[in-house]
Amino acid sequence: MSLRAQNCVGQVDLGTFGFGDSVAYGVSADGSVVVGYASVAVPALITSGAFRWTAAGGMQNIGTLGHPFATSTANGVSADGSVVVGTSGDRAFRWTATGGMQDLGTLGGSDSLANGVSADGTFVVGRADLANGEQHAFLWTQVGGMQDLGTLPGSVLSEAFDVSADGSVVVGTSVSQGSAARAFLWTAGGGIVDLGTLGGLNSLGRALSDDGSVVVGCAEDATGVLHGFLWTQAGGMTDLGGGLLAHGVSADGSVVVGELTGGGLPSAFKWTEATGAQELGPLVGFFSRAHDTSANGTVVVGMTPAPGSAAHAFRLQSSVLGDTYCRPTVPNSSGCGGIVLAIGDPRLATGALELTATLLPPNSFGFFLTSQAQDLVVAAGGSQGNLCLGGAIGRFVGPGQVMNSGASGTFTMAVDLNAIPAPTLSGSVAAQPGDTWNFQAWHRDANPTRTSNFTDAVSVLFQ
């Protein structure tokens, strides 16, 4: 059983196995399952154990490949969270709840490690030893076993880090005898292809969009400084900014996460084309790294220090757009404080906005509110929660806009940016470039008697 804070997905700290450190490396498509490693104590030894975390079950130790003193680390997880891949001791593994931990073997040598897995869990990628001592990227399937993906010309080492949802595209890094590293993309038809750099010598390929069309990683510029990159077939390598190490990407390739360096301690970031790189918060420590993100980019996992510890795994749920404020919220009857997420693009010429309220009590009715002003009204209107909007407050209560949270405690609404409710402005108004709109959700609650509550709020600046 793990030691952890309240299992609300807005919380940061996923805890440990009772002491020491933990780091999160992967997250399922919906953000509900997180994998990584945490310290484990065995007689006269402190080692690490691969974990699979859910809000209901906390941090589950999924074991090792048999040796009582072996370490294990989980590096990737399938879309539905049921298949976990990683390394135990010196071997790549694939784990399921029914089948346990399966040794994936090698390419003829002694060691292997697994980094990524396809959406359905049937394709696994990583690195394995050959009989001659070289290490090559591999693609594994249950039927075909380990396939050697080779290296770029002149290279002696390659490692695959991620694979597309259907298993047809692989991304990784190939290293030459002179120690120059290059990001590569592999397909069955095209083989292994060098993705280049940003003018320097080295590049590292780390993650793929679901369809394999977007690659993220980092590359050197002409001065040797590492920059984050986003690569597409049509546009080649786009510079995301200096000091960015990109580690993960959303399903459609629009949200990139990683760590921001710059001579000091690293900090987790989230990048979109519209906003650029933004530091993530609120994180509990003085440095942080983001390793992966959910399909829609709203859940980010990684590591950050906790009091008295070098590192704890975190899971942070936040908006893709805008700035979250008015946290912490007053817990509702689910035991958590509700949060609101904004997803989309703030550029009015091309963008769209979707709002999601989550961590609500199951089967509770509610709707979204909006205003161009912020405020804090404690227990507004007899509610047990806090209203975070001020001035003229619009209510999304038109047809289909009063919603039920259902069994998941969540409701979602697409916002018509040409018809934002504004009571003092003839009923509705169109968002304009330069406008800032704040959004919050109100919902019914019973805690323990019939009442209501509010989520936190998000502020979005439209362009």
Side-chain angles (χ1 to χ4, degrees):
M1 190 66 175
S2 66
L3 298 180
R4 60 190 187 277
Q6 182 184 9
N7 279 329
C8 300
V9 293
Q11 296 276 354
V12 172
D13 190 353
L14 297 189
T16 68
F17 288 132
F19 79 106
D21 303 333
S22 61
V23 179
Y25 286 119
V27 63
S28 61
D30 67 358
S32 65
V33 179
V34 183
V35 300
Y37 84 87
S39 299
V40 177
V42 296
L45 183 66
I46 297 176
T47 182
S48 65
F51 74 76
R52 179 181 182 272
W53 179 97
T54 63
M59 193 176 276
Q60 174 194 1
N61 188 338
I62 62 174
T64 69
L65 285 170
H67 192 287
F69 302 119
T71 63
S72 61
T73 299
N75 295 320
V77 62
S78 61
D80 68 358
S82 65
V83 179
V84 181
V85 300
T87 304
S88 176
D90 55 7
R91 289 298 182 92
F93 74 76
R94 178 182 183 272
W95 176 96
T96 64
T98 55
M101 195 172 279
Q102 175 187 2
D103 186 340
L104 300 187
T106 72
L107 291 169
S110 58
D111 297 354
S112 61
L113 58 87
N115 292 316
V117 61
S118 61
D120 66 359
T122 60
F123 296 85
V124 181
V125 297
R127 185 190 76 207
D129 288 358
L130 279 65
N132 65 4
E134 290 189 7
Q135 298 175 323
H136 285 193
F138 72 77
L139 175 68
W140 177 96
T141 63
Q142 190 75 53
V143 175
M146 238 181 227
Q147 175 186 354
D148 186 348
L149 301 187
T151 68
L152 291 171
S155 295
V156 294
L157 181 151
S158 61
E159 183 169 351
F161 289 101
D162 199 12
V163 60
S164 60
D166 65 359
S168 65
V169 184
V170 178
V171 68
T173 301
S174 185
V175 183
S176 71
Q177 289 181 327
S179 298
R182 288 296 182 93
F184 73 76
L185 196 70
W186 178 93
T187 60
I192 189 168
V193 177
D194 188 340
L195 299 186
T197 73
L198 291 169
L201 184 63
N202 298 297
S203 59
L204 304 172
R206 295 307 301 262
L208 279 172
S209 61
D210 270 10
D211 66 0
S213 66
V214 177
V215 179
V216 301
C218 59
E220 288 179 343
D221 66 11
T223 67
V225 175
L226 280 173
H227 289 231
F229 75 75
L230 184 149
W231 179 95
T232 64
Q233 189 71 52
M237 199 173 275
T238 299
D239 188 346
L240 302 185
L244 300 181
L245 308 183
H247 296 315
V249 66
S250 61
D252 65 359
S254 65
V255 181
V256 182
V257 300
E259 59 184 282
L260 172 62
T261 64
L265 294 170
S267 59
F269 77 84
K270 180 185 289 187
W271 177 96
T272 70
E273 184 180 359
T275 64
Q278 296 180 320
E279 290 188 59
L280 285 173
L283 295 178
V284 297
F286 54 90
F287 71 88
S288 57
R289 294 185 175 96
H291 292 135
D292 198 12
T293 187
S294 60
N296 65 6
T298 62
V299 176
V300 180
V301 301
M303 61 78 66
T304 191
S309 172
H312 275 199
F314 75 78
R315 179 190 187 280
L316 180 66
Q317 188 159 9
S318 63
S319 290
V320 172
L321 299 183
D323 298 314
T324 296
Y325 70 98
C326 217
R327 284 187 179 178
T329 51
V330 176
N332 55 56
S333 56
S334 74
C336 299
I339 61 176
V340 63
L341 308 171
I343 305 168
D345 192 325
R347 296 170 295 182
L348 293 171
T350 59
L353 175 65
E354 181 181 86
L355 297 175
T356 294
T358 189
L359 298 182
L360 309 180
N363 303 307
S364 62
F365 284 94
F367 54 84
F368 291 102
L369 310 168
T370 188
S371 173
Q372 290 191 274
Q374 297 182 10
D375 201 349
L376 178 60
V377 183
V378 176
S383 172
Q384 69 174 4
N386 302 325
L387 177 65
C388 305
L389 310 177
I393 298 174
R395 293 165 173 80
F396 291 92
V397 292
Q401 294 181 332
V402 178
M403 293 165 285
N404 189 288
S405 66
S408 66
T410 299
F411 55 71
T412 297
M413 182 191 73
V415 178
D416 183 351
L417 295 175
N418 291 309
I420 298 177
T424 61
L425 298 172
S426 303
S428 66
V429 64
Q432 299 296 322
D435 282 354
T436 296
W437 286 90
N438 306 292
F439 301 94
Q440 189 176 20
W442 172 95
H443 61 89
R444 288 290 185 191
D445 200 4
N447 205 14
T449 58
R450 184 176 176 84
T451 182
S452 65
N453 208 327
F454 293 91
T455 63
D456 63 8
V458 62
S459 177
V460 179
L461 172 63
F462 291 100
Q463 304 171 16

